[in-house]
Amino acid sequence: MSTAPSGPLFLGLDLSTQQLKAIIVNEDTTVIHESSVHFDNDLPSYGTINGAIRGPGKGEVTSPVAMWLDAIDLLFQRLKIAGVEVSKISAISGAGQQHGSVYWSKNAEFLLSSLDSTRSLVSQLSPAAFSLPNAPIWQDSSTTRECKELDEVVGGAQALADISGSRAYERFTGNQIAKIRRVNPEVYAATSAISLVSSFIPSVFIGRIVPVDISDASGMNLMDVITCKWSDILLNACGGPELRSKLGSEPVIGGTVLGKVSRYFVDKWGLSPDCVVAPFTGDNPASVIALAASGDAVLSLGTSTTFLLSIPGADTPPKRFITSHLLSHPTDLKGKIAMLCYKNGALAREQVRDRYSDRDWDRFNELVEATPPGNNGNFGMYFPLPEIIPPGVVGQHAFHVSENSTTPIAVDDLPADAHPRAILESQFLSIRCHIEAILPEHSLHLHHLVATGGSSANQTIRQIAADIFGVKVYVSSTKEAGGMGGALLAKYAWWKAARGGKGSFEDMTGGKITGLRCVAEPRREVTEAYEKLVHLYQACENQVIQKTV
């Protein structure tokens, strides 16, 4: 779809694992055009499967950087064929798959700054601009040794989480850098600069290597998540004293104008020479920008479950835990994003549906609605896969709870018709319990909950979420949250620059998110009943953890 808009346009890009997606919006954030390049289908010569290459080493997963360059040119070719007036694009930003890293050669800056519009990006930059042709991505799990070593240097997993917002993870960039430094010291020595996927893209657009944004830097195990500055102890542990220079300047906040697009994009694809480029961020922070105002949360109910809470800035910072993540907010130096991830989302719900509800969602919903909040004291926990929160727990666990007691019982002793409500209550009470532990004392109550993912279409599940969290539940008309978040960040940089660099993201939006529709409202008496169950759920979970250890 394309139209002939009269005002400025804003381009949001989302470089995910499997595709490069473009969303173009106008000044009132109406989507004008969408386009994409699917790596496997559109660029098959790179031999990727779902956008990635596995091996050669155990746990290694990478993507060819040249493929991403080809995708950028191909995407703009498609915009041109579609008749999009790219000359009206006033600003560009976007999202990149988190944790992935690009390694620039010592010739990179010169090559970026001297691109010839008569040739392709890939013919001029690959392989000469890169010390490593393939970028390690978030699926890589080959750095267990480096994670253990980083924990030891800083004094344990909790100490690392206190600094960086997360314990050491194999996919996090600092540990990927440490492995390259250990296994391929010649590559590390030949590397002049290191970008995240999110900072690689604007570097290509501007023709100069640009800094990482503060939110995506939170997923590296390298930045102090409270100060939003590189941590010397983490830099030295992962990359030695030279890593600071390879990462460049301190991470930057969203809304910053990094520069204008290079002549390559002006001459080859028709972008305006005045089009500005803003910092890109990670895919999860971009989704928060698109879907959640300060104090709102995004609940992704897919195969796994993810909860993202946008936390306003406060004098007391949120607590950090080894089972959760704390990220810096892309547009607020004091604001944070709390992130909880669960492996057992839809998979666990579907197993309960199949076993106790005749493989039928309508029957599942009937059983939930036929039982009262609190499930007559029947609690159940369901972990087909080893869980992240609580850590390492697997299997089914059942309890009977009363006002002041939690008694373990055999799973078979739980009434068959209690399981559907039990799994929903346990999944959502877990989130509420763990998010409350993260928040500073006297924090403002959650404002709104935006539900996404396949299960967000289930009205019974929506209502349980509204009742347990005590807030209205919304769904969004935005299906490409990463790209839309990028478009909003692009607009913010343009808007802020027009005001002399002043004004917050909330000033621009009025604190409102467009495209939301309320689908469930909390029932006060039900929410009050759940308030009394939070500590009982925690007591049950503690017993399960103790049994697992």
Side-chain angles (χ1 to χ4, degrees):
M1 62 182 165
S2 61
T3 63
S6 57
L9 301 178
F10 307 99
L11 172 59
L13 296 173
D14 182 9
L15 202 169
S16 64
T17 314
Q18 298 188 43
Q19 66 177 347
L20 175 62
K21 178 90 175 184
I23 291 184
I24 298 175
V25 303
N26 62 14
E27 197 168 354
D28 67 4
T29 67
T30 299
V31 176
I32 301 301
H33 183 80
E34 296 182 39
S35 191
S36 65
V37 174
H38 189 275
F39 301 139
D40 291 5
N41 296 340
D42 295 324
L43 299 168
S45 64
Y46 289 99
T48 58
I49 297 175
N50 297 323
I53 295 172
R54 297 189 176 273
K58 181 181 178 181
E60 291 181 349
V61 186
T62 61
S63 289
V65 182
M67 179 179 72
W68 296 339
L69 295 172
D70 262 341
I72 293 172
D73 270 337
L74 180 54
L75 185 71
F76 272 89
Q77 183 181 45
R78 290 180 173 176
L79 294 179
K80 185 176 182 179
I81 292 171
V84 176
E85 294 185 84
V86 296
S87 63
K88 291 186 176 181
I89 295 173
S90 295
I92 301 171
S93 184
Q97 52 175 290
Q98 289 188 262
H99 316 301
S101 47
V102 174
Y103 297 79
W104 300 95
S105 72
K106 299 186 186 303
N107 295 325
E109 288 280 12
F110 171 76
L111 293 170
L112 282 169
S113 66
S114 55
L115 292 172
D116 179 351
S117 63
T118 65
R119 300 169 59 197
S120 66
L121 287 172
V122 73
S123 68
Q124 299 176 79
L125 295 177
S126 180
F130 307 105
S131 56
L132 198 64
N134 285 8
I137 63 170
W138 65 274
Q139 294 168 320
D140 190 283
S141 60
S142 65
T143 64
T144 302
R145 169 177 168 174
E146 284 70 28
C147 289
K148 291 178 180 178
E149 291 173 350
L150 183 58
D151 275 347
E152 292 172 1
V153 168
V154 299
Q158 185 60 56
L160 179 57
D162 287 339
I163 300 171
S164 72
S166 302
R167 68 167 175 84
Y169 285 89
E170 282 85 352
R171 65 185 181 275
F172 275 38
T173 323
N175 304 303
Q176 295 291 333
I177 292 170
K179 179 194 168 189
I180 289 170
R181 182 184 181 220
R182 174 177 64 84
V183 176
N184 296 308
E186 69 288 348
V187 168
Y188 190 67
T191 298
S192 67
I194 301 172
S195 292
L196 294 182
V197 175
S198 61
S199 57
F200 157 76
I201 315 168
S203 298
V204 173
F205 275 104
I206 293 173
R208 168 176 50 83
I209 297 170
V210 302
V212 177
D213 105 295
I214 57 173
S215 194
D216 213 10
S218 310
M220 300 176 76
N221 283 147
L222 292 177
M223 188 189 77
D224 186 315
V225 72
I226 303 303
T227 66
C228 300
K229 304 288 186 184
W230 297 125
S231 164
D232 284 330
I233 186 173
L234 300 182
L235 294 183
N236 289 333
C238 291
E242 63 269 41
L243 181 53
R244 178 175 283 275
S245 66
K246 295 179 190 291
L247 291 173
S249 59
E250 297 288 357
V252 292
I253 191 169
T256 305
V257 173
L258 296 172
K260 296 180 179 180
V261 293
S262 71
R263 292 302 311 181
Y264 177 88
F265 289 94
V266 174
D267 296 339
K268 190 177 187 73
W269 298 118
L271 282 169
S272 166
D274 294 322
C275 176
V276 300
V277 180
F280 286 43
T281 191
D283 47 11
N284 284 309
S287 295
V288 171
I289 288 290
L291 300 174
S294 181
D296 293 349
V298 179
L299 175 61
S300 176
L301 295 168
T303 302
S304 58
T305 296
T306 303
F307 186 86
L308 294 156
L309 173 62
S310 179
I311 305 173
D315 292 336
T316 303
K319 293 181 181 177
R320 279 78 78 202
F321 293 92
I322 62 172
T323 53
S324 57
H325 305 278
L326 189 69
L327 312 176
S328 295
H329 192 280
T331 64
D332 183 354
L333 285 171
K334 292 186 176 180
K336 306 299 173 191
I337 299 172
M339 181 175 178
L340 305 178
C341 300
Y342 296 81
K343 288 183 182 179
N344 296 288
L347 174 65
R349 291 189 293 273
E350 289 165 2
Q351 287 191 0
V352 169
R353 176 204 63 188
D354 292 348
R355 184 170 181 181
Y356 301 104
S357 308
D358 303 323
R359 297 180 174 270
D360 182 72
W361 279 119
D362 289 337
R363 178 60 178 158
F364 179 96
N365 293 342
E366 288 172 4
L367 291 174
V368 172
E369 291 163 11
T371 50
N375 211 14
N376 296 314
N378 295 306
F379 268 26
M381 300 182 186
Y382 306 81
F383 308 110
L385 300 173
E387 191 48 272
I388 300 169
I389 307 171
V393 171
V394 70
Q396 295 187 25
H397 308 269
F399 294 84
H400 188 77
V401 303
S402 58
E403 187 173 342
N404 294 306
S405 66
T406 57
T407 305
I409 60 174
V411 173
D412 290 342
D413 290 341
L414 207 65
D417 61 359
H419 288 276
R421 178 175 283 273
I423 188 169
L424 297 182
E425 289 186 340
S426 68
Q427 288 186 338
F428 293 157
L429 283 170
S430 175
I431 294 171
R432 178 165 171 180
C433 180
H434 288 281
I435 209 68
E436 287 182 357
I438 292 171
L439 292 174
E441 198 173 353
H442 308 304
S443 292
L444 294 176
H445 191 270
L446 176 66
H447 294 164
H448 303 118
L449 184 67
V450 181
T452 68
S455 296
S456 67
N458 185 313
Q459 186 59 34
T460 299
I461 293 177
R462 294 166 171 174
Q463 187 60 54
I464 293 281
D467 290 334
I468 288 181
F469 292 103
V471 295
K472 293 180 179 180
V473 173
Y474 294 78
V475 293
S476 174
S477 60
T478 300
K479 302 305 178 187
E480 299 291 343
M484 177 57 78
L488 290 169
L489 288 171
K491 180 187 173 184
Y492 177 46
W494 170 85
W495 177 90
K496 188 174 179 181
R499 287 156 180 76
K502 296 180 180 179
S504 68
F505 185 80
E506 286 68 30
D507 291 335
M508 181 188 77
T509 63
K512 296 180 179 179
I513 301 296
T514 60
L516 297 182
R517 176 171 60 91
C518 183
V519 293
E521 296 191 27
R523 297 168 291 184
R524 179 180 296 180
E525 69 281 4
V526 178
T527 299
E528 289 174 352
Y530 281 124
E531 294 273 359
K532 300 174 183 177
L533 296 179
V534 175
H535 76 284
L536 294 173
Y537 170 83
Q538 182 66 74
C540 293
E541 184 181 282
N542 289 341
Q543 291 183 59
V544 172
I545 293 171
Q546 290 171 4
K547 187 168 68 172
T548 303
V549 173

